[in-house]
Amino acid sequence: MATKLVIQQPRPIVVAASTDQWTTSICECDSVNECCFSVWCFPCFACITARDHGQCLCLPLLDACGLIPPATLSMRVATRKRYGISDTICNDCVYSFFCGPCSWCQIRREMKYRLHPVTLLNNRPMG
């Protein structure tokens, strides 16, 4: 008589650190490649980031339409709302106007941090 052997993998516990602050400052650079890409080819970087955020690929091209870049401002606000980051619209306006590429880099870093904050822990003791 054949017996069935059932092996079940231990289920991981997902631990995600959440905070109500930006995980990086506006001028932080965790990837030199991304920072250089945002400075030297800013429209491409902004369009790719908008696409990865689930928005229209061409959304950042609207930034040429106003004094305060509307797409950058809206992306900052959307990112804050999506991840529960407490900040002010005044800061969003200042960063959007004076620090466009750095602002998009911060949005990208936040997306990467919040979408990949997984730490797997074995819920059974080893040995």
Side-chain angles (χ1 to χ4, degrees):
M1 179 168 160
T3 60
K4 288 186 180 180
L5 178 62
V6 177
I7 298 175
Q8 184 175 1
Q9 293 290 326
R11 295 181 185 245
I13 298 172
V14 177
V15 178
S18 63
T19 178
D20 67 342
Q21 300 296 315
W22 290 97
T23 56
T24 59
S25 70
I26 192 75
C27 294
E28 237 174 275
C29 180
D30 67 341
S31 169
V32 175
N33 292 340
E34 282 189 357
C35 290
C36 288
F37 182 36
S38 73
V39 170
W40 298 113
C41 193
F42 175 63
C44 295
F45 181 81
C47 289
I48 290 168
T49 302
R51 182 200 61 205
D52 292 347
H53 197 268
Q55 300 299 324
C56 175
L57 176 69
C58 298
L59 177 71
L61 301 178
L62 294 174
D63 278 349
C65 295
L67 181 62
I68 295 176
T72 303
L73 178 61
S74 65
M75 284 294 292
R76 283 191 65 81
V77 171
T79 301
R80 284 195 307 107
K81 296 299 179 192
R82 177 181 283 184
Y83 301 124
I85 298 170
S86 62
D87 206 346
T88 64
I89 191 71
C90 183
N91 284 343
D92 292 333
C93 288
V94 169
Y95 291 144
S96 297
F97 182 74
F98 291 106
C99 310
C102 293
S103 187
W104 279 95
C105 281
Q106 185 182 34
I107 292 167
R108 183 125 186 117
R109 286 190 306 269
E110 199 66 34
M111 286 172 36
K112 285 187 343 188
Y113 176 80
R114 302 287 180 142
L115 294 177
H116 304 292
V118 177
T119 305
L120 298 177
L121 303 173
N122 190 350
N123 63 350
R124 286 196 226 172
M126 300 282 284

